[in-house]
């Protein structure tokens, strides 16, 4: 799952007025409280999934994660006393990862991912000899060939 979870472009997030109605009673929440509620919802909705790991990746547009690219993983520790904080993510099969991140599945398949639209930047800052047609396939091919999200400068 990629962020933004608390999108800075959202009007409620911009204004800082995050209101949650539970049982008809409005209550105000800060960014950390809102993020914790989202993580609880993910916990509830994925609790019974077998053989599944969920990766949570931040975004440059997250209000509660103000780091430039590349970004470290979210800093989140649940306040719930049901489970020791140290083991919370192991039990729930949720992993907080950096942006960009790289994972291995079964020790064989390596997957890299990012919440940033790096191809837009690659296309914008690249010179293409052939200016006809779409630049997207060429930029994607070059990215896959060099195995970097952004062009490697030697």
């Amino acid at each position: 799952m990629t962020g933004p979870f608390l999108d800075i472009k959202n009007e409620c997030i911009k204004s800082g007025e995050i209101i949650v109605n539970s049982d008809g009673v409005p209550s105000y929440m800060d960014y950390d409280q809102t993020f914790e509620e989202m993580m609880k919802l993910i916990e509830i909705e994925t609790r019974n999934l077998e053989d599944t790991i969920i990766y949570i990746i931040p975004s440059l547009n997250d209000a509660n994660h103000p780091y430039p690219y590349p970004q470290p993983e979210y800093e989140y520790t649940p306040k719930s006393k049901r489970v020791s904080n140290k083991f919370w993510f192991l039990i729930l099969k949720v992993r907080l990862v950096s942006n960009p991140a790289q994972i291995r599945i079964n020790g064989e398949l390596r997957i890299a991912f990012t919440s940033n639209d790096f191809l837009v930047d690659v296309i914008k800052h690249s010179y293409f000899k052939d200016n006809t047609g779409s630049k997207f396939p060429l930029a994607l091919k070059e990215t896959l060939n060099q195995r970097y999200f952004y062009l490697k400068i030697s």
Side-chain angles (χ1 to χ4, degrees):
M1 299 179 76
T2 63
F5 291 96
L6 297 169
D7 194 339
I8 57 174
K9 296 176 185 175
N10 180 295
E11 291 302 320
C12 291
I13 301 297
K14 270 190 209 178
S15 70
E17 295 182 13
I18 305 168
I19 303 171
V20 177
N21 278 321
S22 63
D23 301 330
V25 179
S27 62
Y28 292 90
M29 297 173 62
D30 64 23
Y31 295 150
D32 291 334
Q33 291 169 325
T34 306
F35 187 71
E36 181 164 351
E37 289 300 314
M38 288 179 179
M39 292 298 108
K40 284 179 188 175
L41 183 60
I42 291 170
E43 172 192 355
I44 291 165
E45 295 298 323
T46 61
R47 189 176 288 155
N48 297 323
L49 294 178
E50 294 181 22
D51 300 323
T52 301
I53 296 176
I54 297 167
Y55 294 91
I56 306 287
I57 186 169
S59 166
L60 293 172
N61 290 337
D62 273 312
N64 64 322
H65 199 68
Y67 297 98
Y69 193 85
Q71 296 176 290
E73 66 275 358
Y74 287 109
E75 295 172 7
Y76 172 69
T77 305
K79 295 175 183 160
S80 170
K81 302 298 179 203
R82 291 178 295 124
V83 178
S84 165
N85 291 343
K86 183 177 180 182
F87 300 107
W88 187 78
F89 288 105
L90 295 175
I91 291 169
L92 298 179
K93 302 179 199 173
V94 174
R95 305 290 184 268
L96 302 178
V97 295
S98 62
N99 180 23
Q102 189 178 106
I103 62 169
R104 286 191 184 267
I105 298 175
N106 296 331
E108 296 177 19
L109 178 62
R110 185 172 59 172
I111 298 175
F113 48 94
T114 181
S115 63
N116 197 28
D117 191 353
F118 66 92
L119 281 177
V120 169
D121 294 334
V122 169
I123 291 169
K124 185 168 45 171
H125 298 292
S126 296
Y127 172 77
F128 295 92
K129 223 176 186 182
D130 179 12
N131 282 329
T132 61
S134 175
K135 297 174 185 174
F136 181 83
L138 183 58
L140 184 58
K141 178 182 174 191
E142 287 304 311
T143 301
L144 292 172
N145 284 340
Q146 68 179 10
R147 298 179 181 190
Y148 287 91
F149 284 118
Y150 285 91
L151 295 175
K152 185 177 180 186
I153 302 191
S154 306

